[in-house]
């Protein structure tokens, strides 16, 4: 089974042949910006304690981590929501 790094490398190689040069350059700049911001060093790692939060769920109801944890383990999945300007 391929690990995530291998899958990402294959995807990047495939996209390099499909996307316009400008798009690839924009992706490259975004990656550089993320690295410069030390996103990896500031991210929560495996086994780290996740800070409490309140966010809307998919039903637009506000949920709080500490309340959900009372029922057992939690998997947090975040997705980007596009908002029209």
């Amino acid at each position: 089974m391929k690990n995530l790094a291998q899958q990402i490398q294959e995807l990047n190689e495939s996209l390099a042949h499909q996307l316009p040069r400008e798009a690839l350059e924009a992706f490259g700049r975004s990656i550089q910006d993320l690295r410069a911001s030390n996103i990896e060093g500031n991210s929560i790692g495996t086994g780290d304690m996740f800070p409490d939060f309140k966010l809307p769920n998919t039903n637009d109801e506000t949920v709080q981590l500490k309340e959900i944890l009372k029922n057992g383990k939690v998997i947090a999945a975040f997705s980007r929501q596009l908002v029209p300007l």
Side-chain angles (χ1 to χ4, degrees), residues 1-57:
M1 180 177 199
K2 296 177 185 174
N3 66 30
L4 181 58
Q6 291 169 321
Q7 292 176 13
I8 291 171
Q9 180 63 34
E10 288 178 4
L11 176 62
N12 286 336
E13 291 170 2
S14 175
L15 289 176
H17 299 291
Q18 299 175 38
L19 294 176
R21 181 178 49 83
E22 295 82 11
L24 294 171
E25 290 171 356
F27 286 145
R29 286 191 302 273
S30 295
I31 291 168
Q32 289 173 349
D33 291 346
L34 289 169
R35 286 184 177 142
S37 73
N38 193 28
I39 191 167
E40 290 181 80
N42 293 324
S43 297
I44 295 172
T46 302
D48 289 349
M49 182 64 70
F50 206 87
D52 190 38
F53 62 84
K54 289 182 182 179
L55 291 172
N57 64 14

Side-chain angles (χ1 to χ4, degrees), residues 58-76:
T58 56
N59 296 321
D60 207 27
E61 302 163 334
T62 300
V63 295
Q64 185 171 4
L65 178 60
K66 71 179 184 179
E67 293 300 319
I68 300 170
L69 283 169
K70 291 178 182 178
N71 297 320
K73 294 181 180 181
V74 173
I75 296 175

